[in-house]
């Protein structure tokens, strides 16, 4: 089969080389973007009189036919034609004859592929933002139902202070909110048009890049043709943002795994999100959050992979850059899959409020509140901390929790103690007392929920 670039060659390409250099088995995902870019390019060529209007029209009709066939799954891509760009150009030849050869006027595959990737990532970024929002909605829904659910808050995975479960969940809402913001911000840079840069240096034809940018809805053109064809930082940025997003997903998944263990029993995942064991019939395994946690590895890998591919490359295009695609597709697909599962998994989980409450009632997570109590009675915090340390030790030795220590016992540690200490030590009081902005007190959590609604309704 003759290559589109075969003129200078006297021998057929080695079969192994065809297979090794070809990208069609993965870049066929760019088929529709490739056609979209070509349609704009050829329309511009026609309008500028660079090719005759009839030729431009014939190419447009041909490309639209191919587009339809691709959508209907009626095309076969060939390894011999290396990549998506040449496969489609070959199809166009088959469709309309030699006039197809005019499509590539004033263009190179280098600015073409960069344009396809910008178009693809713009579409996917917008879709992923919507998926993140679905997870946020599920979080808000569970938070609403759990504004009175107390649970232990942890540091070092040791019980630290009681908090509201809604507060814990909403922490993830804000992480995802920033992920969304990062994705939205990256669109500014994705919205630069490379097309018109040619192979590396621009073109001798009087093209109108503004027009192509307008047709493809780009905000601006790359002002430097070398940068336009060499840069992949818009992909690096996506992979970085995706990595941060996966970190958040992974941490939440880890908590869901812990919380659903027999040791915690704070939540139960819906049966439809769990799997069984082939040998131990009693088991209900949290495979989905485990895989979400596990898939974080490949998303980080894709970022490191592309950083490494690019780091030593001289300007402008190098074939190494074809390695930018699989990692990007993989991260897109991993994020889409992960976010699509996470939302219904959060939404359908059962919260075991009694277990959580039992946990906060049987620990020393109200200890800080005795210290704060003594501070309000005039003792400096450092001294109060010392006194409470001794009380905690005393309670442990006598197998009591702080609510079981008698008033006489308290008074033996400090004369400042009064009967009002018991109200202060109730877990609900402990939580509500944390009424500083952003704290876990119910009043603050309700304010936070309102902020979350406003974000979701784009009121703010
Ligand atoms: N398949 C190639 C890629 O993805 C397209 C650009 C090829 N350009 C070239 N000069 N060989 O990088």
């Amino acid at each position: 089969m003759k290559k589109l670039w075969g003129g200078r060659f006297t021998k057929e390409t080695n079969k192994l080389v065809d297979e090794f250099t070809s990208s069609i088995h993965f870049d066929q995902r760019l088929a529709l973007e490739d056609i979209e870019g070509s349609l704009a390019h050829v329309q511009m060529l026609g309008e500028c009189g660079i090719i005759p209007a009839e030729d431009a029209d014939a190419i447009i009709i041909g490309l639209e036919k191919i587009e339809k066939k691709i959508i209907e799954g009626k095309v076969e891509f060939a390894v011999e034609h290396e990549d998506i760009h040449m496969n489609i150009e070959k199809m166009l030849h088959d469709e309309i004859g030699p006039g197809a050869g005019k499509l590539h006027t004033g263009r190179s595959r280098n600015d073409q592929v960069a344009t396809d990737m910008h178009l693809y990532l713009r579409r996917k970024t917008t879709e992923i933002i919507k998926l993140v929002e679905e997870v946020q909605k599920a979080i808000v829904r569970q938070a609403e139902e759990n504004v009175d659910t107390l649970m232990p808050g942890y540091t070092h995975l040791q019980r630290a202070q009681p908090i509201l479960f809604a507060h814990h969940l909403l922490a993830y809402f804000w992480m995802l909110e920033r992920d969304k913001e990062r994705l939205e911000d990256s669109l500014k840079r994705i919205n630069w048009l490379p097309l018109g840069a040619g192979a590396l240096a621009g073109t001798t034809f009087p093209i109108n890049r503004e027009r192509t940018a307008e047709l493809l809805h780009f905000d601006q053109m790359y002002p430097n043709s070398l940068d336009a064809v060499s840069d992949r930082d818009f992909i690096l940025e996506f992979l970085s943002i995706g990595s941060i997003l996966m970190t958040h997903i992974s941490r939440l998944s880890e908590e869901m795994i812990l919380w659903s263990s027999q040791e915690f029993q704070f939540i139960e995942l819906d049966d439809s999100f769990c799997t069984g064991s082939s040998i131990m019939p009693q088991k209900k395994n949290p495979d989905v959050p485990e895989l979400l946690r596990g898939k974080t590895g490949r998303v980080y890998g894709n970022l490191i992979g592309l950083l490494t591919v690019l780091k030593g490359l001289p300007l402008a295009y190098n074939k190494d850059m074809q390695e930018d695609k699989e990692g990007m597709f993989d991260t897109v697909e991993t994020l889409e899959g992960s976010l699509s599962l996470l939302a219904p998994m959060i939404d359908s989980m059962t919260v075991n409020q009694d277990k959580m409450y039992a946990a906060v009632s049987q620990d020393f997570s109200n200890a800080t509140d005795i210290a704060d109590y003594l501070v309000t009675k005039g003792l400096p915090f450092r001294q109060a901390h010392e006194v409470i340390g001794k009380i905690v030790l005393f309670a442990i030795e006598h197998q009591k929790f702080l609510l079981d220590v008698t008033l006489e016992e308290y008074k033996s540690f400090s004369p400042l103690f009064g009967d009002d200490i018991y109200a202060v030590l109730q877990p609900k009081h402990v939580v509500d007392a944390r009424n500083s902005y952003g704290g876990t007190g119910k009043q603050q959590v309700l304010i936070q929920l309102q902020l979350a609604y406003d974000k979701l309704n784009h009121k703010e």
Side-chain angles (χ1 to χ4, degrees):
M1 216 178 300
K2 180 134 171 48
K3 295 277 197 279
L4 289 174
W5 41 254
R8 178 227 181 278
F9 288 77
T10 53
K11 276 192 180 172
E12 291 272 302
T13 321
N14 182 309
K15 266 260 147 285
L16 289 175
V17 171
D18 267 346
E19 264 156 38
F20 190 68
T21 57
S22 150
S23 53
I24 188 62
H25 60 283
F26 50 84
D27 67 12
Q28 51 182 273
R29 287 181 184 76
L30 298 173
L32 296 181
E33 279 78 16
D34 196 68
I35 292 181
E36 191 183 349
S38 288
L39 283 170
H41 178 67
V42 76
Q43 182 174 339
M44 179 278 291
L45 290 178
E47 285 173 10
C48 294
I50 297 170
I51 64 170
E54 316 81 76
D55 289 333
D57 289 346
I59 290 174
I60 289 172
I61 291 168
L63 284 172
E64 283 170 351
K65 278 193 195 151
I66 297 167
E67 183 175 36
K68 191 160 172 281
K69 283 190 196 163
I70 290 173
I71 292 169
E72 289 167 355
K74 286 188 188 149
V75 299
E76 273 191 30
F77 298 107
V79 165
E80 291 76 18
H81 298 306
E82 194 178 323
D83 58 21
I84 187 61
H85 324 295
M86 292 201 291
N87 266 271
I88 289 181
E89 200 177 320
K90 174 71 173 58
M91 287 175 205
L92 189 64
H93 275 268
D94 296 345
E95 200 70 55
I96 67 167
K102 297 194 178 177
L103 167 62
H104 214 51
T105 312
R107 180 178 84 169
S108 151
R109 269 189 296 157
N110 297 350
D111 55 347
Q112 185 179 359
V113 68
T115 302
D116 292 4
M117 307 271 277
H118 278 76
L119 288 169
Y120 172 85
L121 214 46
R122 181 170 71 183
R123 178 164 65 84
K124 288 299 181 182
T125 298
T126 314
E127 286 170 15
I128 289 169
I129 290 172
K130 295 215 181 81
L131 292 175
V132 173
E133 227 161 70
E134 290 308 310
V135 178
Q136 288 182 302
K137 283 183 196 159
I139 288 176
V140 162
R141 204 197 62 72
Q142 280 288 2
E144 267 167 8
E145 274 185 23
N146 287 286
V147 285
D148 291 308
T149 308
L150 299 178
M151 73 179 289
Y154 296 83
T155 62
H156 312 270
L157 200 57
Q158 304 288 328
R159 290 183 193 172
Q161 289 171 357
I163 56 173
L164 292 181
F165 186 48
H167 193 52
H168 195 126
L169 286 173
L170 285 171
Y172 287 101
F173 177 96
W174 298 109
M175 294 179 214
L176 295 177
E177 184 61 27
R178 291 189 297 275
D179 290 324
K180 233 171 55 183
E181 241 179 55
R182 273 184 280 270
L183 286 166
E184 269 154 15
D185 194 70
S186 75
L187 283 171
K188 279 190 226 155
R189 287 165 292 281
I190 294 179
N191 258 323
W192 286 34
L193 173 72
L195 203 60
L200 75 165
T203 171
T204 55
F205 294 99
I207 58 168
N208 182 348
R209 289 187 72 197
E210 285 87 351
R211 180 64 179 141
T212 320
E214 182 186 26
L215 289 169
L216 292 172
H217 310 290
F218 280 97
D219 296 335
Q220 73 163 85
M221 301 156 284
Y222 277 85
N224 181 306
S225 60
L226 291 170
D227 179 33
V229 292
S230 310
D231 154 58
R232 293 292 182 267
D233 64 5
F234 67 103
I235 304 178
L236 286 176
E237 191 173 350
F238 171 74
L239 297 176
S240 315
I241 298 170
S243 295
I244 299 174
L245 172 54
M246 273 318 274
T247 310
H248 294 150
I249 293 177
S250 186
R251 293 184 75 171
L252 175 55
S253 298
E254 165 65 11
E255 302 219 81
M256 294 178 87
I257 295 163
L258 275 178
W259 292 339
S260 60
S261 69
Q262 282 302 305
E263 283 67 21
F264 277 78
Q265 297 179 25
F266 283 0
I267 61 166
E268 191 175 341
L269 296 175
D270 194 72
D271 273 5
S272 57
F273 287 90
C274 294
T275 55
S277 157
S278 54
I279 172 162
M280 296 164 282
Q282 83 284 8
K283 288 197 76 189
K284 177 170 160 183
N285 295 331
D287 285 32
V288 174
E290 287 173 301
L291 258 184
L292 294 178
R293 188 177 59 184
K295 281 183 185 293
T296 306
R298 66 198 294 153
V299 172
Y300 293 178
N302 293 334
L303 170 63
I304 302 299
L306 185 58
L307 283 168
T308 313
V309 165
L310 294 174
K311 96 168 255 299
L313 288 188
L315 301 185
Y317 179 83
N318 302 269
K319 186 73 170 179
D320 315 44
M321 290 163 69
Q322 183 166 285
E323 287 293 309
D324 61 356
K325 289 177 196 58
E326 283 158 293
M328 176 185 74
F329 293 139
D330 184 70
T331 290
V332 164
E333 281 154 27
T334 305
L335 289 177
E336 285 175 341
S338 302
L339 294 163
S340 306
L341 273 172
L342 190 54
M345 186 170 72
I346 294 171
D347 200 59
S348 62
M349 73 183 181
T350 313
V351 179
N352 199 344
Q353 300 175 338
D354 296 342
K355 283 277 179 196
M356 287 188 185
Y357 191 75
V360 280
S361 325
Q362 283 165 15
D363 66 13
F364 290 93
S365 63
N366 44 3
T368 316
D369 292 72
I370 315 186
D372 292 353
Y373 171 89
L374 290 180
V375 168
T376 56
K377 304 255 167 169
L379 201 63
F381 182 80
R382 250 325 126 218
Q383 275 155 263
H385 188 283
E386 169 82 17
V387 172
I388 312 313
K390 293 201 171 110
I391 297 176
V392 169
L393 190 62
F394 168 86
I396 292 171
E397 278 167 358
H398 292 80
Q399 297 187 6
K400 291 178 172 197
F401 291 110
L402 294 172
L403 274 166
D404 311 322
V405 176
T406 65
L407 190 55
E408 290 86 274
E409 286 165 342
Y410 273 120
K411 280 185 187 292
S412 72
F413 289 97
S414 164
L416 296 171
F417 280 112
D419 212 11
D420 49 350
I421 183 64
Y422 295 103
V424 167
L425 289 180
Q426 291 300 330
K428 182 160 168 38
H429 186 280
V430 171
V431 165
D432 283 340
R434 286 175 170 71
N435 197 28
S436 55
Y437 181 82
T440 195
K442 182 168 175 184
Q443 213 182 324
Q444 292 303 325
V445 170
L446 291 177
I447 292 172
Q448 202 189 143
L449 255 179
Q450 187 57 48
L451 284 174
Y453 296 136
D454 291 349
K455 283 283 181 198
L456 284 178
N457 297 322
H458 305 284
K459 279 206 194 117
E460 196 269 325

